[in-house]
Amino acid sequence: MDSAEVLSPSDLATAQPAKIVYLDQNKWIDLARAVTATEDHPEDRSLLEFLCAKVEAGQIRLPLTASNLYETHKLNDPEQRFNLAYTQATLSGAEVFRGHRRRLETEAARVLSRLYKMEWTEQDPDWVFSTLFLEAHMEADDPRLETPIPERVLALMRAYPQQAMLDHLAGGPDDIRRAAISKFEAGCEALRVDIEARRIRHGGESESMRRKIYSVLLVLDQQEILIAAADRVGLPWERLKENNGSAIRTLVRETPTLLIEREIALKLEAQARPIHVNDMRDLQNFATVLPYADIIVAENQFTNLARQAGLGDRFGVGLETDLRSLPDLL
């Protein structure tokens, strides 16, 4: 651009990076209803059109999480599932937040490189997003995949990401769909059982002591991934045991995924009610999106927990509960 050339206000607007907006599943359901029953949901229809225009202009992005995909995939009504999947695939552009392992390993490696002054090449800001829907769960080349995905299939998915997402969510054999749902639910249930057991076991401790206990348990639970993070920067894992474990404490405190899970889980445990499987999906969602979103629109329960834990301020993200607040915020 010539140095004398002046950007117009519209040029300046489009030069700004797109805002990352995360919508929880109930908000997506509202938008899908506005697609199929326009006259019954006029306000949601207006909002849908507003969001479509913002996406088209490159001003916002609406990536999905593994929990979004799960919630849509588990719908038993084929028509309802298709309508919701179509809305999500279209508005998100099939973009997803990468899965837990990739995020945690990268975040922890960054913290360790800074802590031990190890060489680190900063990732592209978009590293946490993918347009391969399956990478909301695990990387396409993850060796844990029971059946490796042929490169020709991955090439097709990359060429037509929205169609691939729609086919996965709305099509395919029902027995495979149910098996995938059961596997995801089993993981959430295991996490719920662990948290409920810990709440009973350590309920008499102060919040400060429970925070210390949970930090240790988090590191033990995620040790394989954290060792991989240390290997990534060339750091022997044993070094983290130095100085009476101060490095471990710093790792939990400064690694977003670990910090968010710890702080929200502590707030969740303190409530006088049973912990449900749905809570685990919301916990995973917030640990996924809080460090990377500009605005999160979710239900009252976890929005309030995140606010109580000071996580909105910590990560500079707006925490909202009403879809209709978006036009004023954007």
Side-chain angles (χ1 to χ4, degrees), residues 115-176:
L115 185 60
Y116 286 91
K117 297 179 172 57
M118 310 291 288
E119 184 176 350
W120 174 257
T121 300
E122 187 55 48
Q123 305 285 292
D124 181 284
D126 269 0
W127 72 267
V128 76
F129 304 109
S130 173
T131 51
L132 281 177
F133 73 85
L134 58 89
E135 292 193 320
H137 300 281
M138 64 175 64
E139 294 297 292
D141 59 357
D142 194 310
R144 294 175 300 155
L145 282 169
E146 296 175 3
T147 305
I149 303 172
E151 186 54 45
R152 59 182 178 76
V153 175
L154 290 175
L156 277 171
M157 294 171 67
R158 291 188 178 101
Y160 305 100
Q162 290 168 294
Q163 189 62 52
M165 176 182 283
L166 183 59
D167 288 347
H168 167 71
L169 293 177
D174 204 54
D175 58 336
I176 294 177

Side-chain angles (χ1 to χ4, degrees), residues 118-254:
M118 310 291 288
E119 184 176 350
W120 174 257
T121 300
E122 187 55 48
Q123 305 285 292
D124 181 284
D126 269 0
W127 72 267
V128 76
F129 304 109
S130 173
T131 51
L132 281 177
F133 73 85
L134 58 89
E135 292 193 320
H137 300 281
M138 64 175 64
E139 294 297 292
D141 59 357
D142 194 310
R144 294 175 300 155
L145 282 169
E146 296 175 3
T147 305
I149 303 172
E151 186 54 45
R152 59 182 178 76
V153 175
L154 290 175
L156 277 171
M157 294 171 67
R158 291 188 178 101
Y160 305 100
Q162 290 168 294
Q163 189 62 52
M165 176 182 283
L166 183 59
D167 288 347
H168 167 71
L169 293 177
D174 204 54
D175 58 336
I176 294 177
R177 180 180 72 87
R178 292 181 182 277
I181 291 167
S182 295
K183 187 173 183 178
F184 188 87
E185 288 177 341
C188 291
E189 173 61 12
L191 181 58
R192 185 199 70 79
V193 169
D194 284 347
I195 290 181
E196 194 69 88
R198 187 173 61 247
R199 175 161 69 168
I200 294 171
R201 191 164 56 246
H202 305 296
E205 303 287 355
S206 66
E207 181 175 319
S208 175
M209 179 55 68
R210 287 188 292 112
R211 180 173 284 108
K212 292 176 183 177
I213 292 170
Y214 198 13
S215 295
V216 172
L217 294 176
L218 270 176
V219 171
L220 291 175
D221 287 345
Q222 306 298 338
Q223 185 169 315
E224 179 192 353
I225 301 175
L226 298 177
I227 289 174
D231 288 344
R232 184 167 164 179
V233 297
L235 179 72
W237 177 250
E238 293 73 18
R239 292 282 308 275
L240 273 71
K241 300 176 184 177
E242 298 170 350
N243 301 321
N244 198 30
S246 65
I248 291 289
R249 292 191 291 274
T250 300
L251 183 62
V252 175
R253 187 172 61 248
E254 296 187 8

Side-chain angles (χ1 to χ4, degrees), residues 65-81:
T65 64
S67 290
N68 286 132
L69 300 183
Y70 157 81
E71 294 283 358
T72 300
H73 206 206
K74 79 170 187 176
L75 290 172
N76 288 321
D77 183 319
E79 183 178 0
Q80 184 184 10
R81 188 166 70 249

Side-chain angles (χ1 to χ4, degrees), residues 32-59:
R33 287 173 179 162
V35 173
T36 57
T38 303
E39 294 181 1
D40 295 334
H41 303 277
E43 291 185 7
D44 289 333
R45 179 68 187 194
S46 296
L47 181 59
L48 175 66
E49 293 172 355
F50 169 81
L51 292 176
C52 286
K54 288 289 186 181
V55 168
E56 183 69 22
Q59 295 174 339

